[in-house]
Amino acid sequence: KTIFAVFHELNLACAFCDYLYVLKDHKIVAEGSPVEVCTQEMLADVFRVDSEIIYSSEGVPRILFRGVKSAR
């Protein structure tokens, strides 16, 4: 079975989804497993946040938000 869901809480998406799509300006800018998609670079580019990524013992990424990146 395939289930499509929309998450605005990225840590929940990482915990419960096998495959993610990230949209920016109505376009897919990243897709893949949570480990492949949830990177500091992607979070800075798409969501304009500073973050740190840690991993659970099962390898699930956990995003720690550090703050908002300033506008350029």
Side-chain angles (χ1 to χ4, degrees):
K1 293 183 180 180
T2 300
I3 298 172
F4 288 95
V6 175
F7 286 86
H8 293 275
E9 170 48 59
L10 298 176
N11 284 311
L12 285 177
C14 289
F16 294 106
C17 300
D18 297 321
Y19 201 86
L20 304 175
Y21 291 92
V22 178
L23 304 176
K24 180 179 179 182
D25 299 325
H26 308 283
K27 295 180 182 154
I28 297 170
V29 295
E31 66 176 283
S33 71
V35 171
E36 296 169 322
V37 170
C38 289
T39 65
Q40 289 177 304
E41 295 79 14
M42 183 280 296
L43 293 165
D45 178 50
V46 175
F47 299 103
R48 300 180 78 161
V49 296
D50 288 320
S51 62
E52 180 180 341
I53 312 294
I54 60 172
Y55 298 89
S56 71
S57 58
E58 294 83 23
V60 176
R62 176 86 172 135
I63 303 163
L64 305 175
F65 296 99
R66 300 288 183 212
V68 178
K69 292 188 77 66
S70 60
R72 293 182 196 195

